[in-house]
Amino acid sequence: MAVSFRQITMSDKTDGPGHDTSLLTKPKAKTQRPPLYKVLLLNDDYTPMEFVVHVLERFFGLSHAQAFEIMLTVHKKGLAVVGVFSFEVAETKVAQVMDFARRHQHPLQCTMEKE
Protein backbone atom coordinates (compact mmCIF):
# COMPACT_ATOMS: atom_id res chain seq x y z
CA MET A 1 0.00 0.00 0.00
CA ALA A 2 1.59 3.28 -1.06
CA VAL A 3 0.87 6.54 0.67
CA SER A 4 1.19 9.66 -1.39
CA PHE A 5 1.74 13.11 -0.05
CA ARG A 6 1.12 16.27 -1.96
CA GLN A 7 2.37 19.73 -1.18
CA ILE A 8 -0.27 22.20 -0.14
CA THR A 9 -0.09 25.44 -2.04
CA MET A 10 -1.75 28.74 -1.26
CA SER A 11 -4.56 27.88 -3.66
CA ASP A 12 -5.14 24.60 -1.76
CA LYS A 13 -5.67 26.29 1.62
CA THR A 14 -9.42 26.19 1.46
CA ASP A 15 -11.67 23.75 -0.24
CA GLY A 16 -14.66 25.92 0.39
CA PRO A 17 -16.33 27.40 3.45
CA GLY A 18 -15.43 25.60 6.67
CA HIS A 19 -12.77 23.41 5.06
CA ASP A 20 -9.58 25.27 5.92
CA THR A 21 -6.67 22.83 5.64
CA SER A 22 -3.89 25.24 6.65
CA LEU A 23 -2.08 24.63 9.92
CA LEU A 24 -2.45 27.12 12.70
CA THR A 25 0.17 27.44 15.38
CA LYS A 26 -0.33 29.21 18.64
CA PRO A 27 2.56 31.29 19.91
CA LYS A 28 4.14 29.71 22.96
CA ALA A 29 3.24 31.46 26.17
CA LYS A 30 6.29 32.59 28.05
CA THR A 31 6.35 31.00 31.47
CA GLN A 32 7.31 33.09 34.44
CA ARG A 33 8.82 31.96 37.67
CA PRO A 34 6.32 32.16 40.51
CA PRO A 35 6.89 35.04 42.91
CA LEU A 36 8.94 34.28 46.00
CA TYR A 37 8.08 35.14 49.58
CA LYS A 38 10.33 36.04 52.50
CA VAL A 39 9.58 34.34 55.81
CA LEU A 40 10.25 36.74 58.68
CA LEU A 41 10.70 36.03 62.36
CA LEU A 42 9.76 38.90 64.71
CA ASN A 43 11.25 39.72 68.09
CA ASP A 44 9.24 39.74 71.30
CA ASP A 45 10.24 40.15 74.94
CA TYR A 46 8.94 36.80 76.12
CA THR A 47 9.98 33.94 73.84
CA PRO A 48 13.22 32.35 75.12
CA MET A 49 16.20 32.58 72.79
CA GLU A 50 16.77 28.83 72.91
CA PHE A 51 13.20 28.23 71.76
CA VAL A 52 13.79 30.47 68.74
CA VAL A 53 17.01 28.58 67.94
CA HIS A 54 15.10 25.30 68.20
CA VAL A 55 12.37 26.59 65.81
CA LEU A 56 14.99 27.67 63.27
CA GLU A 57 16.72 24.31 63.40
CA ARG A 58 13.52 22.28 63.28
CA PHE A 59 11.47 24.11 60.65
CA PHE A 60 14.16 25.70 58.49
CA GLY A 61 16.88 23.03 58.64
CA LEU A 62 19.54 25.40 59.93
CA SER A 63 22.61 24.33 61.83
CA HIS A 64 22.85 25.39 65.46
CA ALA A 65 25.39 28.10 64.56
CA GLN A 66 23.21 29.47 61.73
CA ALA A 67 20.11 29.40 63.92
CA PHE A 68 21.95 31.18 66.74
CA GLU A 69 23.11 33.94 64.35
CA ILE A 70 19.60 34.52 63.02
CA MET A 71 18.17 34.49 66.54
CA LEU A 72 20.68 37.23 67.51
CA THR A 73 19.67 39.26 64.44
CA VAL A 74 16.01 38.96 65.44
CA HIS A 75 16.90 39.96 69.01
CA LYS A 76 19.01 42.98 68.01
CA LYS A 77 17.16 44.28 64.94
CA GLY A 78 13.59 43.24 65.76
CA LEU A 79 13.19 40.88 62.81
CA ALA A 80 15.12 38.74 60.37
CA VAL A 81 14.51 36.98 57.09
CA VAL A 82 14.66 33.26 57.78
CA GLY A 83 14.29 32.08 54.20
CA VAL A 84 12.79 32.77 50.79
CA PHE A 85 10.29 30.28 49.38
CA SER A 86 7.40 29.81 46.99
CA PHE A 87 4.04 30.99 48.33
CA GLU A 88 2.87 27.54 49.41
CA VAL A 89 6.11 26.64 51.19
CA ALA A 90 6.32 30.02 52.93
CA GLU A 91 2.67 29.79 54.03
CA THR A 92 3.24 26.29 55.41
CA LYS A 93 6.38 27.28 57.33
CA VAL A 94 4.65 30.31 58.87
CA ALA A 95 1.72 28.14 59.96
CA GLN A 96 4.04 25.46 61.40
CA VAL A 97 6.07 27.99 63.39
CA MET A 98 2.98 29.79 64.69
CA ASP A 99 1.28 26.54 65.68
CA PHE A 100 4.41 25.22 67.40
CA ALA A 101 4.89 28.48 69.31
CA ARG A 102 1.24 28.53 70.47
CA ARG A 103 1.40 24.90 71.59
CA HIS A 104 4.42 25.83 73.73
CA GLN A 105 2.67 29.00 74.95
CA HIS A 106 5.10 31.46 73.38
CA PRO A 107 4.04 34.67 71.60
CA LEU A 108 6.61 34.22 68.81
CA GLN A 109 5.46 35.81 65.54
CA CYS A 110 6.33 34.59 62.08
CA THR A 111 5.09 36.29 58.91
CA MET A 112 5.68 36.33 55.18
CA GLU A 113 5.88 39.02 52.55
CA LYS A 114 6.42 39.11 48.82
CA GLU A 115 10.07 39.47 47.88
Side-chain angles (χ1 to χ4, degrees), residues 53 57 62-71:
V53 170
E57 291 170 345
L62 300 176
S63 69
H64 187 76
Q66 292 169 320
F68 192 81
E69 284 298 315
I70 291 176
M71 178 275 299

Side-chain angles (χ1 to χ4, degrees), residues 4 32 40 49 55 58 69-70 81 87 92 107:
S4 67
Q32 296 180 9
L40 305 162
M49 291 179 178
V55 164
R58 179 174 178 161
E69 284 298 315
I70 291 176
V81 175
F87 179 82
T92 299

